[in-house]
Amino acid sequence: MISDIAAWFITLFVLNPIQAEVQDHLQAANASTQSIQQSQQCISAQGPKLLQRAGQDPSWAIATAAGYTLGWTSPSQLLDASDPNCAELTRLLRGSEGEEANS
């Protein structure tokens, strides 16, 4: 039961907003079809891993959901940059985080 609630927190407060943010960044960057497909594969691969971790560690899920919602945790911190499908996306997200810090 608690693991289901933790997974719900991650889905609602982390995965859904990350998908929306990624889509916004890709559109703003006028990304290629290949980059869009890679980002979709990245989210598809990383999402279940985050949900599994949330089920195993509900306190991590709640802290991560709160951290992401409050801006303490960036999406690039939650994605595996060693995954070839996530490398481009992580680079794009980190670049946009630097732009936001400079504005």
Side-chain angles (χ1 to χ4, degrees):
M1 170 91 171
I2 291 177
S3 63
D4 292 336
I5 294 170
W8 177 78
F9 265 97
I10 288 296
T11 301
L12 184 64
F13 293 107
V14 178
L15 291 176
N16 291 343
I18 284 177
Q19 287 177 328
E21 186 173 341
V22 164
Q23 191 172 21
D24 290 344
H25 286 296
L26 291 172
Q27 287 176 350
N30 199 19
S32 68
T33 303
Q34 180 182 359
S35 294
I36 293 169
Q37 288 173 342
Q38 284 181 323
S39 69
Q40 290 170 342
Q41 291 170 350
C42 172
I43 299 293
S44 295
Q46 297 302 306
K49 291 178 182 178
L50 292 172
L51 290 174
Q52 180 181 12
R53 183 169 179 191
Q56 294 171 347
D57 188 358
S59 61
W60 172 86
I62 293 168
T64 300
Y68 183 79
T69 301
L70 296 171
W72 299 335
T73 303
S74 71
S76 62
Q77 292 173 303
L78 299 173
L79 301 175
D80 183 5
S82 66
D83 181 335
N85 289 319
C86 294
E88 176 77 16
L89 180 58
T90 303
R91 184 191 60 75
L92 177 68
L93 291 171
R94 285 187 179 147
S96 68
E97 290 164 10
E99 291 172 11
E100 290 173 6
N102 292 332
S103 29

